[in-house]
Amino acid sequence: MTDRHWHHVTLDYTKPAAGSTIGTMQYYLDDKSTSTGAPVTVGNKETKAFIDTKKLNADSNNSKVFWGITGSTGVSTDKDNLANDSQNSLVVFEHVPGLIDSSASASVIDETTNSEVGTAGISGNSKVKVQYKVNYDSGSDSWDSIMAHLRIPKGIQVTSGTMQDTNDTVASSVDVSGLSGKATDGQSLNVNVGELSPSNKTATITLEGKTLNDQSYTTGDVTSDFVGTGEMTSATIKSFKITQQPLTLNLNQRKINVNQGNDLDITGDVAKGDGTALTNSKVKLNPTISDAQNNETPLPAFTLSDSNPAKGFTYHLAANSLPAGKYTLSIIASDGSGNYTNPQTVTIVIGTVDFGSSSGDLNYDATISGTGQLVSRSDPNWSFNINDTVTSGTKWKLCAEATPLTMQPTTGANTPETNETGTPLDGRLVYSDKTGIHPLTADAQTPIIDYASDGSNTPVNIASDWDDNSGILLQLDGGAVQGNYQGTVTWILSNAE
């Protein structure tokens, strides 16, 4: 430590083998860069010490040995000015076994393929996320005040970030305005992770961005540190290449939702990787569309126009070109000189409203009392879903009709002889809501729900807020007699406008 610089040391102790009293201390000096935290390969020459536990008075009754760091004052070489010949010797413990054991990992993920970027590299102008995971593996105490000192490989422009702990149901936003450095050289960002413990073991930090395309990059190994009370761990992203693309394609939308019967437009632009002017009339778009079953269909090629290259392009799909459903449109651009872009995709949802799954029949059980009563459903969790994939704000409504309930064939000792098949029930199905009780008849549509879509493309359970006193119920009058009755409910789904 006499060179006034930090040195990283790892000590690895192996206890004596059975029948022996000699333990081994292996140590590794300068096995990490103190400026970047990146691992450094070191040799094992003269890095081993043998320890006779007899000399430490260690036995089965006194088995704990304390390890420590000591220091002493060296001999001065400056007899006239001792103050100039001294220095503070400092030791920082990065990890002490048994107190807290942690681990971390880091990777760059290509969002087009959803796979980790390896040594083969990635193209410029690709959407990526840089992901860091830090784990509390074990220990006798919680790991407090953790700060993530993140380093981002050069050639990646970060635009946003999130962090999510094990106990978080949703990720929280990470402020990336604190990024230091330039994307061309590699940036860094400090993020407050907080505390990890046995009940909250993992924190994941995700930084979203794009690879630069102004030149090709070789990133070099990049190591990030996670430093907290009593513990520190590191994670390294191995070197990879970012290859400049001579031609790039950008789409302005990642998802388009239109209602069935409406046209849709996909917009974007094509540019040269070196930023020089591009002749649009030489650029051709080659689109392919895939349905939910991954059946691919090539669409007509489209040549760009020179009329106003700065505005990019608009690719038009007519309303009658696609039925309702979910699709993936993939586009590759070429410039006529043998240069092709990576495929860019957009998810297209042609929206509609249709009947979805349900719990099946509505059933009611009641004891005849000779007086009127309102009977709730036998299944309190009965559900009926409407598949809604239309755009936000689109209105639709659901109505219902019902035939009279009539006696069905029954057998048994308790069945009254007067019961005849086809006899109508002295009662009816009704729809109950906060405005009152509305009979369901066969000749009039009773409104059940008027709905404005939220655009989430998730099914709507029209019975989600029904309880024992609301929804479709059975209303019995005083003349109802025992028996098994049946009727039919007809649902009518339509545009509300």
Side-chain angles (χ1 to χ4, degrees), residues 8-36:
H8 190 275
V9 182
T10 299
L11 304 173
D12 186 5
Y13 176 68
T14 303
K15 69 179 182 179
S20 172
T21 63
I22 305 300
T24 304
M25 177 67 83
Q26 184 86 24
Y27 67 91
Y28 305 90
L29 179 63
D30 292 327
D31 59 335
K32 279 188 180 182
S33 166
T34 55
S35 60
T36 68

Side-chain angles (χ1 to χ4, degrees), residues 118-169:
T119 54
I122 190 172
S123 300
N125 201 45
S126 297
K127 190 175 181 182
V128 295
K129 58 184 177 184
V130 189
Q131 197 163 75
Y132 308 86
K133 291 184 179 181
V134 56
N135 306 297
Y136 177 98
D137 296 327
S138 62
S140 59
D141 201 356
S142 61
W143 188 15
D144 303 325
S145 306
I146 305 168
M147 284 296 297
H149 304 289
L150 307 180
R151 297 186 66 222
I152 298 101
K154 65 181 179 180
I156 295 178
Q157 181 66 64
V158 171
T159 55
S160 63
T162 59
M163 183 175 74
Q164 188 166 10
D165 290 349
T166 303
N167 295 337
D168 291 339
T169 54

Side-chain angles (χ1 to χ4, degrees), residues 6 17 86 96 125 145 154 182 237 244 259 273 297 319 335 351 355 387 389 393 416 477 489 497:
W6 286 100
S86 62
V96 179
N125 201 45
S145 306
K154 65 181 179 180
K182 297 179 180 180
I237 299 172
Q244 184 184 26
N259 293 344
T297 303
D335 63 0
F355 295 114
N387 291 333
T389 57
D477 295 335
V489 176
E497 296 176 337

Side-chain angles (χ1 to χ4, degrees), residues 333-363:
S334 59
D335 63 0
S337 299
N339 296 316
Y340 292 84
T341 66
N342 292 326
Q344 299 295 312
T345 60
V346 57
T347 300
I348 297 174
V349 177
I350 308 297
T352 188
V353 179
D354 202 356
F355 295 114
S357 61
S358 78
S359 298
D361 293 342
L362 288 160
N363 296 300

Side-chain angles (χ1 to χ4, degrees), residues 166-226:
T166 303
N167 295 337
D168 291 339
T169 54
V170 296
S172 58
S173 177
V174 168
D175 183 7
V176 297
S177 64
L179 280 165
S180 62
K182 297 179 180 180
T184 52
D185 303 321
Q187 295 179 293
S188 60
L189 179 68
N190 294 331
V191 177
N192 185 2
V193 176
E195 176 185 308
L196 294 178
S197 65
S199 61
N200 184 42
K201 286 193 168 186
T202 302
T204 301
I205 302 170
T206 303
L207 304 180
E208 299 276 354
K210 261 189 173 184
T211 54
L212 300 179
N213 198 48
D214 58 328
Q215 64 182 47
S216 293
Y217 292 87
T218 299
T219 64
D221 292 353
V222 176
T223 300
S224 299
D225 297 321
F226 302 85

